[in-house]
């Protein structure tokens, strides 16, 4: 599981740093998937390498399709000025905590 996370996160970093079009990443994922299926019975180690390549390209595709910089939610900025706030809660029914 660790190596899966390393491959995927490396793809995210590579996708953020290299500006390639999304169809290139899609083609790379497809080629890696086909190569994995072709080599899964005859050469298992090579098929495993293609799986990690597919995870790498999938991570790059993910960051490319979602955008590198996420839009920041500014709705809570009014509470981030280090001033005290008061939170009021009302009990609407009784019960046991589970």
């Amino acid at each position: 599981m660790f190596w899966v996370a390393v491959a995927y996160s490396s793809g995210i970093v590579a996708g953020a740093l290299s500006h390639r079009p999304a169809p290139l990443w899609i083609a790379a994922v497809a080629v890696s998937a086909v190569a994995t299926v072709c080599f899964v019975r005859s050469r298992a180690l090579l098929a495993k390498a293609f799986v990690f390549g597919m995870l790498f390209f999938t991570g790059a595709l993910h960051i490319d399709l979602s955008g590198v910089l996420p839009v920041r939610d500014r709705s809570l900025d009014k509470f981030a000025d280090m001033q005290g706030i008061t939170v009021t809660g009302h009990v609407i029914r009784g019960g046991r905590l589970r």
Side-chain angles (χ1 to χ4, degrees), residues 15-91:
L17 295 178
S18 68
H19 303 287
R20 305 278 187 245
L24 180 69
W25 297 122
I26 293 170
V29 169
V31 167
S32 295
V34 169
T36 300
V37 170
C38 289
F39 290 114
V40 74
R41 290 197 178 179
S42 61
R43 298 181 187 257
L45 189 61
L46 186 59
K48 190 183 289 188
F50 279 118
V51 167
F52 285 119
M54 186 171 54
L55 287 168
F56 176 86
F57 294 133
T58 304
L61 177 66
H62 179 204
I63 198 69
D64 191 42
L65 293 179
S66 67
V68 176
L69 298 175
V71 177
R72 185 167 178 249
D73 182 19
R74 298 198 178 266
S75 63
L76 296 176
D77 283 351
K78 58 186 172 188
F79 301 115
D81 60 355
M82 304 306 267
Q83 299 279 337
I85 61 171
T86 302
V87 178
T88 304
H90 300 280
V91 176

